[in-house]
Amino acid sequence: MKRGAWGSRAGFIFAVTGSAVGLANIWRLPYIVGENGGAAFLIIYLLCLMFIGFPVLMSEIIIGRSTQTSPSGAFLKLSCSKYWSWIGKMTIMTGFIVSAFYSAVAGWIFGYLIEAFRGNLSNFQNAADAELHFNNLMHSPLWGLGFHCCFLLICFFILILGVRGGIERGNKIMMPCLILVLVFLVIKGLTLPNAILGIKYLLEPDFSEITPKAFMVALGQSFFTLSLGQGTMITYGSYLSQKDNLIKSCLPVVAMDTIVSLLAAFAVFAIVFSGGMKPDSGPGLIFNTLPLVFSQMTGGYFLAIMFFLLVLLAAITSEISAMEPVIAYLIDEKKWTRKKACLFTAGGVFLLGIPSAWSMSVFEGFTIFGYSFIDFMSFLASSILIPLGGFFAVILVGWVWGVNNTLNHLKLGASKFFQKNPWASSYFWFCFKYSAPILIIIVFLNAIGIFNL
Ligand code: PHE
């Protein structure tokens, strides 16, 4: 059976950008910027992208492209050791876990889009009203389960159509829509009264806010937003041909991901400040604060629809990429058909996502190590498994396969770039071998409490 492959470089860029741009850009970034002091945080975040995020992304794409197989086989091929194939399997498991809780959250977003259509998000009188509405929905098991299921069904139907016919085509349709909606929201946001206060908050750094904790959050964000450490980029890279120029294919992705994050932050902050609110309500920022502002402005009904549509599109293109490593594994290693692999993966993700979807209803009060089910899954994936997956990917290319092999592979199809930019080899050499692995380890040990920054 022929393996899936991208139809064109643009197709790859759309798909990888679709994976990268997700809830982390539109939902998480604005609230962590709000909690960690605005512009100063953005500076650390950009540094993390440059010295850790981008090199890890390149490592994963290289691992995939050079081996043309799913993460488990890819780690085995490059290292020639079966222990490494277990690490590959761990990254696939991580993708499975991420898909499950991500789908539960995306289900809430889907539910909120329907609420927006029904006009229920644009007539709140005060903050308590908005919160009550949110709690009522969250306490309904049927609501959480139903939308988790509907959201997964959409992803399943895209995935089953294959790499080119489903993932690539879907992204080529959804990503331009997403950009249009985002640009509309930014323009609308910036023309609201007092929007300038939000922009000021984002652009005036307060350096006293640069703390070790901000650094940790920024690193976690750069990993999650680029879909690293969990097989996605290895799998997407494995559908690339050896001729492609990896620099030209990957730089636009990081640039687009960052631009979308910044635009989303501008839109959200402009809207929030124009309503006289503060962006410090954490995850509730888009579920409670924004709908309250929508209720107070003209055209709020329409804006609420646009906003939740934007987040839903971003979530679909990311969810399919989180599920694809599992599917690729079942096809490449177990020789399953794509249909069977998609059915099995979607079924498994649905089941594992149920306790997350019900974390505030049926599973309310149920905790693991003090975390609610969904927070535990998210902690396990984002603070432990994802950094580990990213760490092993750079160790594999920088130390095991060897940095020279890696650079030679990187130069395939990009030799002109390296001739014109002699510093690029040193930059990648330094990142693969030192900056990325060392910084990840420091942050990881800190996150699990082994040492405190
Ligand atoms: N990058 C996605 C986001 O920003 C999340 C994601 C992680 C998607 C891992 C796929 C795999 O929301």
Side-chain angles (χ1 to χ4, degrees):
M1 200 172 35
K2 215 169 155 279
R3 252 189 126 246
W6 305 115
S8 62
R9 175 187 295 153
F12 170 81
I13 294 179
F14 272 116
V16 179
T17 310
S19 167
V21 171
L23 297 178
N25 304 63
I26 304 173
W27 176 33
R28 194 161 183 271
L29 187 96
Y31 86 73
I32 57 177
V33 171
E35 283 176 341
N36 290 283
F41 177 81
L42 281 179
I43 297 176
I44 320 181
Y45 171 66
L46 293 178
L47 287 174
C48 283
L49 277 180
M50 212 166 126
F51 288 102
I52 316 176
F54 180 57
V56 176
L57 171 70
M58 293 303 287
S59 310
E60 297 200 356
I61 299 274
I62 290 172
I63 295 175
R65 183 179 75 162
S66 60
T67 56
Q68 302 278 306
T69 183
S70 86
S72 145
F75 275 73
L76 176 70
K77 263 196 192 167
L78 280 193
S79 65
C80 302
S81 142
K82 67 174 188 309
Y83 297 112
W84 278 88
S85 98
W86 282 102
I87 296 177
K89 291 194 175 77
M90 177 194 87
T91 66
I92 297 171
M93 252 336 269
T94 311
F96 187 64
I97 294 175
V98 170
S99 313
F101 74 80
Y102 203 81
S103 169
V105 179
W108 301 339
I109 303 281
F110 197 177
Y112 255 65
L113 174 63
I114 304 296
E115 288 299 297
F117 269 116
R118 296 174 61 202
N120 290 347
L121 298 188
S122 39
N123 53 16
F124 294 122
Q125 300 298 327
N126 50 42
D129 267 4
E131 222 175 300
L132 182 69
H133 187 72
F134 175 73
N135 286 335
N136 282 344
L137 292 175
M138 288 294 175
H139 281 103
S140 153
L142 198 65
W143 186 81
L145 188 71
F147 282 106
H148 164 52
C149 180
C150 294
F151 175 75
L152 257 182
L153 276 175
I154 300 178
C155 299
F156 169 76
F157 283 117
I158 297 175
L159 283 165
I160 204 163
L161 293 174
V163 175
R164 201 175 295 185
I167 303 179
E168 184 170 336
R169 193 174 345 138
N171 276 295
K172 273 187 167 165
I173 299 170
M174 285 185 280
M175 289 310 286
C177 294
L178 182 146
I179 303 287
L180 275 181
V181 178
L182 181 62
V183 168
F184 169 82
L185 283 172
V186 172
I187 296 175
K188 175 76 193 163
L190 293 183
T191 49
L192 291 171
N194 289 331
I196 191 72
L197 295 176
I199 308 309
K200 263 199 178 150
Y201 183 79
L202 269 178
L203 294 182
E204 276 176 9
D206 170 3
F207 289 100
S208 67
E209 297 279 353
I210 300 196
T211 58
K213 182 183 154 252
F215 180 68
M216 301 253 318
V217 177
L219 180 92
Q221 173 71 8
S222 67
F223 259 63
F224 198 70
T225 189
L226 291 179
S227 310
L228 301 175
Q230 43 111 47
T232 289
M233 291 305 176
I234 300 179
T235 311
Y236 273 19
S238 76
Y239 300 141
L240 267 178
S241 89
Q242 308 285 355
K243 294 192 302 289
D244 285 288
N245 179 334
L246 289 186
I247 308 275
K248 275 200 184 152
S249 306
C250 296
L251 262 183
V253 172
V254 181
M256 279 295 290
D257 183 71
T258 312
I259 292 172
V260 170
S261 288
L262 295 179
L263 288 182
F266 275 120
V268 170
F269 279 67
I271 296 174
V272 167
F273 276 86
S274 83
M277 311 274 173
K278 285 244 152 57
D280 56 3
S281 60
L285 186 62
I286 70 166
F287 290 115
N288 296 332
T289 315
L290 278 184
L292 186 56
V293 183
F294 292 143
S295 305
Q296 294 163 351
M297 60 202 255
T298 36
Y301 171 78
F302 184 62
L303 266 172
I305 295 179
M306 294 298 261
F307 182 79
F308 284 101
L309 179 67
L310 168 76
V311 191
L312 183 68
L313 286 173
I316 296 173
T317 52
S318 294
E319 174 76 8
I320 54 179
S321 77
M323 291 165 73
E324 182 63 18
V326 188
I327 296 170
Y329 169 75
L330 295 172
I331 297 176
D332 289 342
E333 309 271 324
K334 303 281 170 210
K335 309 291 171 220
W336 286 17
T337 60
R338 186 162 185 98
K339 190 169 152 208
K340 186 171 160 198
C342 288
L343 266 174
F344 179 86
T345 308
V349 168
F350 175 65
L351 292 179
L352 186 64
I354 293 177
S356 293
W358 282 349
S359 53
M360 285 190 228
S361 51
V362 179
F363 280 73
E364 193 173 24
F366 173 81
T367 56
I368 309 176
F369 299 121
Y371 290 102
S372 70
F373 191 86
I374 191 165
D375 288 343
F376 176 72
M377 297 267 279
S378 150
F379 170 78
L380 179 68
S382 350
S383 301
I384 299 185
L385 296 171
I386 289 180
L388 276 181
F391 173 74
F392 284 120
V394 269
I395 292 292
L396 182 63
V397 300
W399 294 88
V400 179
W401 195 38
V403 76
N404 290 336
N405 282 336
T406 307
L407 285 177
N408 287 339
H409 184 83
L410 189 54
K411 287 176 187 163
L412 289 178
S415 51
K416 274 212 193 98
F417 174 85
F418 280 92
Q419 270 162 18
K420 273 200 217 136
N421 301 287
W423 55 267
S425 297
S426 321
Y427 161 79
F428 281 113
W429 183 88
F430 173 72
C431 291
F432 288 150
K433 246 181 135 60
Y434 298 108
S435 76
I438 293 174
L439 290 170
I440 300 171
I441 270 299
I442 293 179
V443 170
F444 175 69
L445 292 180
N446 188 18
I448 56 175
I450 290 194
F451 96 177
N452 274 335
L453 278 175

